[in-house]
Amino acid sequence: MNTKLAGIRWLQGFAAALAAAGLQAHAAQPLITDDTVTQGTQRWRLEIEGLDADGRRGAGDLERYDGVLSYGLSETADVQIGAGWIRSEIGRAHV
C-alpha cells in the first residue's frame, strides 16, 4: 500500500474515532481564506481577539475573548489549540 493512501486512511479512521467519541470541534479560522500560507517550520503564532459590547435598552452586556496558539509542523502544516472566555449579563440596567 502506498504511503499517501495509508495516510488518508489513517486520517479517515481518526476522524471517525473522534465522531464516535462525541467530541466537539470548533473551527477557529475559515477553511477558505486569502491567508493560504503557514507560518513555517518550527514557528509559533499567537492570535488574541476581544469583544466588549454594551447592550442598548436593557439588552445586556457581552464580553468575549478568544486565543489561538499555533505551531508550524512543516512548511505546509500547522497545529492549533485555542480557548475562549465569554461573560454575558442580560437585562442589566444602564445609567
Side-chain angles (χ1 to χ4, degrees):
M1 179 184 304
N2 74 30
T3 57
K4 188 173 184 179
L5 183 57
I8 291 172
R9 289 196 179 174
W10 179 88
L11 186 58
Q12 289 173 338
F14 182 71
L18 285 179
L23 299 176
Q24 291 183 340
H26 171 73
Q29 297 176 349
L31 295 176
I32 299 173
T33 179
D34 57 352
D35 183 15
T36 59
V37 296
T38 64
Q39 66 256 22
T41 304
Q42 297 181 347
R43 289 183 172 225
W44 293 90
R45 181 175 178 173
L46 176 63
E47 299 175 30
I48 299 175
E49 174 188 17
L51 169 72
D52 185 6
D54 294 326
R56 302 288 182 240
R57 295 184 217 125
D61 291 338
L62 174 70
E63 286 182 61
R64 177 182 161 188
Y65 302 98
D66 297 306
V68 176
L69 178 65
S70 59
Y71 177 74
L73 295 175
S74 69
E75 288 297 322
T76 59
D78 297 337
V79 63
Q80 298 180 341
I81 187 167
W85 178 81
I86 190 166
R87 182 189 65 80
S88 176
E89 292 183 13
I90 300 173
R92 182 176 164 196
H94 296 281
V95 178

